[in-house]
Amino acid sequence: MVMIVVVIAVLVAIGYRKKRLSESSTIEPFSEATDCNGIECLYVSTVFYDNPLRRLLAHGMGPRGKAAVAVGVDGISVCRQGERGFQISKTSLIGIERSTATIDRAVEPGGLTSIVWRHSGEQFVTNLRFQSREEREVFENEVMV
């Protein structure tokens, strides 16, 4: 029984790695975050806009974790703890929405802030969860300016 579990785990790891490498070869690396002194939040996921059940794995975008986001003249900086931060440029920003669920997370209605943006010819949705309603509103208002 243990051997079967080990074999399955190895096959899953190989498939995950293969998918991550495939995405990394077709999607250009993201710009580095320029401002990491922003509002603390939880980076939940980045998914493909046309397939919200497909998590973006390229360039280390897969893991969820603590983050800080800041809005500057260049765009939105997302600085993730333990992972490479990235920047969503103002020119690639499509919009901002509120949602209730993403690939592996469901919260109260409108509890996620979803940033819709474009990169390498693809549309993505980055989902963030703020610690308070006030912090979320501050962030959303800064993006809309």
Side-chain angles (χ1 to χ4, degrees):
M1 257 333 209
V2 172
M3 196 59 159
I4 291 172
V5 171
V6 170
V7 168
I8 291 171
V10 167
L11 291 174
V12 167
I14 289 170
Y16 184 89
R17 182 176 185 273
K18 189 175 182 180
K19 185 175 180 181
R20 182 177 46 82
L21 292 173
S22 172
E23 284 181 2
S24 293
S25 68
T26 59
I27 297 173
E28 296 175 25
F30 303 103
S31 300
E32 286 282 338
T34 58
D35 181 4
C36 291
N37 296 316
I39 301 170
E40 290 187 17
C41 65
L42 179 66
Y43 168 81
V44 179
S45 66
T46 296
V47 296
F48 289 82
Y49 182 81
D50 59 351
N51 188 356
L53 296 178
R54 182 176 167 207
R55 178 186 300 276
L56 178 63
L57 302 175
H59 312 295
M61 297 291 283
R64 149 175 109 192
K66 292 182 180 181
V69 293
V71 180
V73 293
D74 297 332
I76 302 169
S77 290
V78 181
C79 300
R80 301 178 302 147
Q81 288 183 4
E83 299 292 336
R84 183 176 175 264
F86 64 98
Q87 176 134 345
I88 301 171
S89 71
K90 288 234 180 192
T91 58
S92 67
L93 183 64
I94 295 171
I96 192 165
E97 305 168 350
R98 289 187 181 174
S99 57
T100 302
T102 184
I103 189 164
D104 64 352
R105 185 81 159 168
V107 297
E108 74 279 358
L112 294 174
T113 297
S114 301
I115 305 166
V116 182
W117 56 292
R118 185 182 336 263
H119 180 76
S120 290
E122 293 277 356
Q123 267 188 262
F124 300 108
V125 179
T126 295
N127 296 289
L128 305 172
R129 177 143 170 88
F130 289 90
Q131 295 175 2
S132 71
R133 183 176 297 165
E134 293 79 20
E135 289 176 331
R136 178 180 63 204
E137 289 174 359
V138 166
F139 173 76
E140 291 174 353
N141 289 335
E142 287 178 2
V143 171
M144 300 315 268
V145 172

